[in-house]
Amino acid sequence: SMVKTAIRYIQEHLSEGLDIEAISAAAGFSKYYFCRGFKEITGRTVMDYVNFARCSHARRLLITGRYNVTEAAQRSGFENQVRPVVPEA
């Protein structure tokens, strides 16, 4: 089905930059139709599901004890969004 294909694609490409266009193309549907159908079937938006899948993957990596938080986040597709705080002059 459309959702199974999309979920498989998401799982196989978690560590990459995923966007709705690529996921809907992999599933073989227009972006609009795909987003509506995905949410109707899963109860989640596509990007909400991507973030859920990334968090689940990072958690599994952390549980192994072989990765620290930064490594698990990077291997799960999270960009390093922590920026140093620079005090105002």
Side-chain angles (χ1 to χ4, degrees):
S1 77
M2 168 180 71
V3 171
K4 285 182 182 179
T5 301
I7 288 174
R8 189 175 325 111
Y9 180 85
I10 291 166
Q11 295 295 335
E12 291 171 358
H13 296 87
L14 267 183
S15 63
E16 303 167 19
L18 285 169
D19 59 29
I20 293 171
E21 287 80 9
I23 299 167
S24 61
F29 292 92
S30 74
K31 185 170 105 170
Y32 176 75
Y33 180 83
F34 172 73
C35 288
R36 277 192 50 193
F38 191 92
K39 183 163 185 172
E40 191 174 298
I41 292 168
T42 66
R44 296 177 186 260
T45 66
V46 176
M47 294 316 292
D48 184 40
Y49 182 84
V50 168
N51 286 326
F52 170 79
R54 284 181 169 153
C55 287
S56 296
H57 185 255
R59 180 176 180 268
R60 286 192 301 275
L61 294 177
L62 289 170
I63 288 171
T64 69
R66 293 189 305 232
Y67 303 96
N68 65 33
V69 172
T70 300
E71 292 166 336
Q74 289 172 341
R75 289 176 177 266
S76 301
F78 289 105
E79 299 283 328
N80 183 4
Q81 297 179 2
V82 178
R83 293 180 178 82
V85 177
V86 180
E88 293 184 19

